[in-house]
Amino acid sequence: MDKLKIKGGQPLTGEVRISGAKNAALPELCAALLSATPLVLHNRPQLNDVRTMETLLSQMGVKITHHDVGVTLDAATIDWPLAPYELVKTMRASILALGPLLARCGEARVSMPGGCAIGLRPVDQHIKGLQAMGAVIDLEHGYIAARAVKLKGTHFSFDVVSVTGTENLLMAATLADGVTVLDNAACEPEVVDLARCLTAMGAKIRGAGTSRIEIEGVTALHGVEHRIIPDRIESGTFLAAAAATRGEIVLRDADATILDSVLDLLRCTGAHIETTKDTITLRGGNDAAGKSKAFDLVTAPYPGFPTDMQAQMMALATCADGTSTLIETIFESRMMHVQELKRLGADIDVDGNTARVRGVSKLSGATVMATDLRASACLVIAGLMAEGETTIDRIYHLDRGYEKIEEKLSGLGASIQRVGGSAAAKG
Ligand code: UD1
């Protein structure tokens, strides 16, 4: 199994290109199921989750071609509207196929995602929403089996804000009979980008990016070319790493307008940040003792602070001047990086969903284990900060969501090496 070896203490400096957003790419790949003519996605990130979704779609009969600018998905015919357990268990986002399959084929079988490392993560909102649109849904043999001759427009209010839940119902509603109103919808930029893609495909959508989305069903969608937005979490991760190592970096092909809460918090820690239309420059700020300032954060749905950046900010907090408080409100078990940070010398107490991080003078390299995608990113940042060598085990989590991370970090001057197995899959 691959590991990462990092020799810490080097400030990150230079320029790095930000990839397309994983969380926009995944629903947009599924949007191809809604059209009998090809959808072309530009700025496709080369990630294991994207490869898994493409495998899933090709098993259904979607023809997939990769090229320089991205990927073409041709769903002229769908032979097999099924998402099997073997793939769903490796990626919960496979649930995103449910709505489009049902809308296009009138039936779908998608394996129930199991529990996952960061919490229970039920899919009840996806199911309730589709039932409200007239689908008949049975849970049998570990599968969600859904049928609907024709989905019908409805008024559905989410009990909790769900990103993929909103995306699933948004896609399903594009081909439903009549008007669907989604209340308490997720406002994440990836939902907005999906709505932009669907609108270009001929869907009639109003209000994406607000908590009420209205969709007027149409009889068919058509293929288009769409460019996936930049990954705001990859952007935030590099910025946090630069702030933590007191470096100076420029993100290219980034979008600062979807990163407000993260940029504001990094500024509070003392970092200097400047933005243009497609770049973000960060210069690590520090006081006379060379430390960043402690901070408080509470994760929340967009435009609040993203749960997907909580772990990376905790790495930054470990050596800050003072005590930082991080409260996780989205997922119930998203503090597993704490035990690993402590192995590097961090001083952290956890009480329920609240972590109190007292800044220490330094971290010292050790062997640690990645437990989920963003926890892995947190450990990479901590390894870059630590004195001596840090070895991170189980980095397959990292390859799910970060494109060529060791290559990009090496380009910024980090001493980081993948050992023990194959290089990250290509393509
Ligand atoms: C998406 C993102 C993930 C991010 C998360 C929160 C993708 C592919 N993944 O995940 O990176 O961390 O949003 O920003 O876009 N919930 C229910 N019932 C449901 C659905 C969700 O109770 O049917 C709960 C979850 O357990 C969680 C909260 O709602 O506590 C938010 O989850 P949700 O927004 O659905 O996360 P995902 O869409 O899975």
Side-chain angles (χ1 to χ4, degrees):
M1 208 178 284
D2 286 6
K3 298 178 191 342
L4 279 182
K5 282 193 184 298
I6 301 174
K7 285 204 187 75
Q10 201 62 34
L12 295 186
T13 51
E15 277 192 23
V16 63
R17 194 190 95 81
I18 295 305
S19 302
K22 168 178 87 74
N23 288 353
L26 296 175
E28 287 164 11
L29 288 166
C30 289
L33 291 166
L34 292 163
S35 158
T37 53
L39 173 65
V40 182
L41 294 175
H42 295 238
N43 205 24
R44 164 193 179 268
Q46 293 182 25
L47 301 171
N48 282 351
D49 274 8
V50 166
R51 292 180 195 103
T52 303
M53 188 62 92
E54 289 173 355
T55 304
L56 186 70
L57 295 173
S58 63
Q59 286 186 2
M60 293 173 188
V62 179
K63 306 225 167 13
I64 297 182
T65 324
H66 295 118
H67 38 75
D68 284 352
V69 294
V71 59
T72 299
L73 302 112
D74 182 351
T77 53
I78 298 170
D79 311 318
W80 210 39
L82 175 86
Y85 175 68
E86 290 64 35
L87 287 174
V88 178
K89 75 174 181 201
T90 66
M91 189 184 65
R92 288 187 85 267
S94 315
I95 189 77
L96 284 165
L98 181 62
L101 280 178
L102 194 54
R104 173 92 186 277
C105 310
E107 58 171 334
R109 272 171 74 80
V110 175
S111 171
M112 286 283 287
C116 83
I118 62 173
L120 282 171
R121 299 181 89 174
V123 289
D124 57 305
Q125 298 301 305
H126 303 238
I127 293 175
K128 273 166 93 171
L130 291 171
Q131 282 172 329
M133 295 174 78
V136 176
I137 298 189
D138 295 307
L139 302 181
E140 50 187 32
H141 312 298
Y143 277 77
I144 303 165
R147 278 172 295 121
V149 177
K150 183 80 181 160
L151 291 170
K152 292 186 177 47
T154 189
H155 186 168
F156 182 74
S157 187
F158 289 92
D159 302 325
V160 288
V161 179
S162 167
V163 177
T164 49
T166 301
E167 292 164 346
N168 228 339
L169 297 192
L170 173 59
M171 288 191 279
T174 57
L175 293 182
D177 254 350
V179 175
T180 300
V181 179
L182 301 177
D183 267 326
N184 202 22
C187 305
E188 266 65 5
E190 294 75 20
V191 174
V192 178
D193 197 47
L194 171 65
R196 209 177 292 135
C197 177
L198 293 168
T199 302
M201 292 169 74
K204 294 192 173 157
I205 300 170
R206 279 197 317 191
T210 74
S211 59
R212 169 175 279 211
I213 307 179
E214 288 181 25
I215 309 111
E216 189 183 330
V218 295
T219 47
L221 297 185
H222 54 82
V224 289
E225 298 203 13
H226 175 79
R227 184 172 177 83
I228 299 167
I229 53 168
D231 196 312
R232 65 195 165 102
I233 306 301
E234 187 197 23
S235 305
T237 301
F238 279 106
L239 294 174
T245 58
R246 296 193 286 281
E248 182 163 356
I249 66 167
V250 180
L251 309 186
R252 277 191 295 110
D253 296 346
D255 183 353
T257 64
I258 53 177
L259 258 173
D260 278 347
S261 61
V262 173
L263 299 185
D264 288 349
L265 190 64
L266 285 167
R267 284 188 178 110
C268 288
T269 72
H272 304 278
I273 298 175
E274 280 165 28
T275 64
T276 68
K277 194 172 136 287
D278 55 3
T279 68
I280 304 175
T281 303
L282 179 143
R283 189 158 42 83
N286 47 325
D287 62 14
K291 283 177 162 289
S292 54
K293 294 183 197 120
F295 58 88
D296 296 334
L297 77 79
V298 182
T299 63
Y302 192 86
F305 193 88
T307 173
D308 286 351
M309 277 300 299
Q310 178 256 107
Q312 299 90 315
M313 290 304 291
M314 196 182 293
L316 178 59
T318 58
C319 291
D321 184 17
T323 300
S324 302
T325 305
L326 293 84
I327 303 179
E328 172 58 55
T329 69
I330 309 288
F331 293 114
E332 61 271 33
S333 334
R334 206 169 204 185
M335 292 275 177
M336 279 175 310
H337 39 286
V338 169
Q339 287 308 322
E340 303 303 305
L341 286 174
K342 283 183 173 179
R343 290 180 50 72
L344 299 172
D347 181 357
I348 308 172
D349 288 326
V350 177
D351 180 8
N353 65 350
T354 303
R356 283 199 180 75
V357 188
R358 281 171 291 276
V360 294
S361 58
K362 63 177 172 62
L363 299 180
S364 73
T367 298
V368 290
M369 188 153 33
T371 48
D372 66 65
L373 171 56
R374 306 305 170 185
S376 317
C378 154
L379 295 176
V380 169
I381 296 174
L384 293 169
M385 297 163 72
E387 235 175 49
E389 188 172 276
T390 295
T391 303
I392 308 177
D393 208 344
R394 302 208 176 163
I395 54 150
Y396 53 85
H397 293 291
L398 211 53
D399 296 330
R400 289 187 39 214
Y402 288 93
E403 180 174 305
K404 300 181 183 155
I405 187 156
E406 70 268 32
E407 222 173 274
K408 289 189 180 186
L409 285 170
S410 299
L412 295 170
S415 169
I416 181 167
Q417 210 189 344
R418 183 181 289 257
V419 291
S422 56
K426 298 276 186 295

